Amino acid sequence: MRIDCPHCGSRDVQEFIYLRDAGPRRPDGMAATLAEMHVYLHERDNPAGRHRELWYHGSGCRAWLVVTRDTRTHAVFAVEALPASVESAST
Amino acid sequence: MAEPSSSAAGWRSQSAWAGVAVSGHLGADGGAGVTVCCLRDVGMATLIAPKRREAALIAAVEARYGMRLPEDPRTVENGGVRAVWAGPDQWLLVTADVSGVETLREVIADLGAVSDQTGSRAVLRVSGRAIRAALAKGCMIDLHDGSFPVGAAALSSIAHIGVHLWRLADGPDGAVFEIAAPRSIAGSFWSWFAASAAEFGCAVVVES
Ligand SMILES: [Zn+2]
């Protein structure tokens, strides 16, 4: 599997680290109920197919990326740079 | 390079390659297919632009050094100062010695974050007709002209070691690359490089 980093170009997957589903946003820990935190932490979809994911280019530009990938075939449909506004809210 | 201020206490700076690489010929007899120069006393600093304020930093560097910080994986050089792209809004500045880093600090002032990296990375300058074949044993990036022309730069890993590499102007033996690896594991990097270059015959120069 190769990921076409928008900053560095196409690189082998071993340069990247997978984080998680790109969708969920962490609730404010001080305000969230236990149930809300439980949902955020544990109730994740596990789709067989198209999935939007956060990946970190740790051995390259050290930027966060959103990779849209088929979890069955590892086909990569899209790789986007994570907007700075999302970066600070999600990592 | 000026004597370090701590020399009075008996401390002396030494090359990152001291005790690691030795000048001479390595591997196969005959001509050298690979030439490596183990650099010392390279001044280095990382430069990071605040989010959405990179334009002011780029303008300040351009005014002082007459070169535009690259916004894609490339390196530029002017007047003895080299800028290497190091990720979005980040650069590695390379100067002949550490005094260049002090100048840089004054030029940048509050326009960005400057962190002195002098002594933190060990740098090899490599060339030779077989250099691409030697590097291909660990480097995952295609270093041929079509994908890595003169002035190209990359962050990647070689033999599980994070490296920053860039291509200088061609020399008499063709392509010339510089590769910076963390100094603390320069020995590991060297053992990979020496093993990879040995079959081609390798001329080694360790700057002292
Ligand atoms: Zn990258």
Side-chain angles (χ1 to χ4, degrees), chain B residues 73-123:
Chain B
R74 286 184 300 113
T75 176
V76 294
E77 189 267 346
N78 192 36
V81 178
R82 171 172 297 285
V84 192
W85 181 87
D89 302 332
Q90 298 172 60
W91 298 270
L92 179 71
L93 278 103
V94 185
T95 63
D97 62 56
V98 68
S99 67
V101 175
E102 289 308 314
T103 312
L104 182 67
R105 251 195 253 279
E106 290 156 23
V107 172
I108 305 309
D110 56 354
L111 293 172
V114 180
S115 301
D116 190 353
Q117 303 293 336
T118 305
S120 77
R121 320 229 176 142
V123 187

Side-chain angles (χ1 to χ4, degrees), chain A residues 2 7-9 11-12 14-15 57 59-63 84-85 87, chain B residues 51-52 73 85-88 90 140-141 153-157 160 163:
Chain A
R2 289 179 74 82
H7 306 296
C8 300
R11 296 293 180 84
D12 190 90
Q14 69 181 270
E15 289 195 3
H57 195 182
S59 298
C61 60
R62 301 179 298 272
S85 55
E87 194 172 341
Chain B
K51 283 192 166 65
R52 288 175 293 277
W85 181 87
Q90 298 172 60
M140 294 181 285
I141 296 171
L155 290 153
S156 187
S157 65
H160 304 283
V163 295

Side-chain angles (χ1 to χ4, degrees), chain B residues 32-48:
Chain B
V34 172
T35 301
V36 55
C37 184
C38 305
L39 307 184
R40 75 162 292 180
D41 292 345
V42 181
M44 283 188 165
T46 51
L47 183 53
I48 302 179

Side-chain angles (χ1 to χ4, degrees), chain B residues 157-200:
Chain B
S157 65
I158 293 178
H160 304 283
I161 295 168
V163 295
H164 204 168
L165 70 154
W166 53 92
R167 183 170 168 190
L168 306 180
D170 287 353
D173 293 328
V176 183
F177 304 94
E178 285 187 341
I179 306 173
R183 181 178 184 147
S184 58
I185 45 173
S188 298
F189 187 72
W190 180 257
S191 75
W192 169 81
F193 182 82
S196 301
E199 69 163 296
F200 307 105

Side-chain angles (χ1 to χ4, degrees), chain B residues 1 7 13 18 45 61 63 69 87 107 112 126 130 137 140 142-143 146 152 157 162 166-167 176 193 197:
Chain B
M1 183 185 155
S7 61
S13 70
V61 170
L69 292 172
V107 172
V126 299
K137 295 180 187 182
M140 294 181 285
D142 181 356
L143 297 176
S157 65
W166 53 92
R167 183 170 168 190
V176 183
F193 182 82

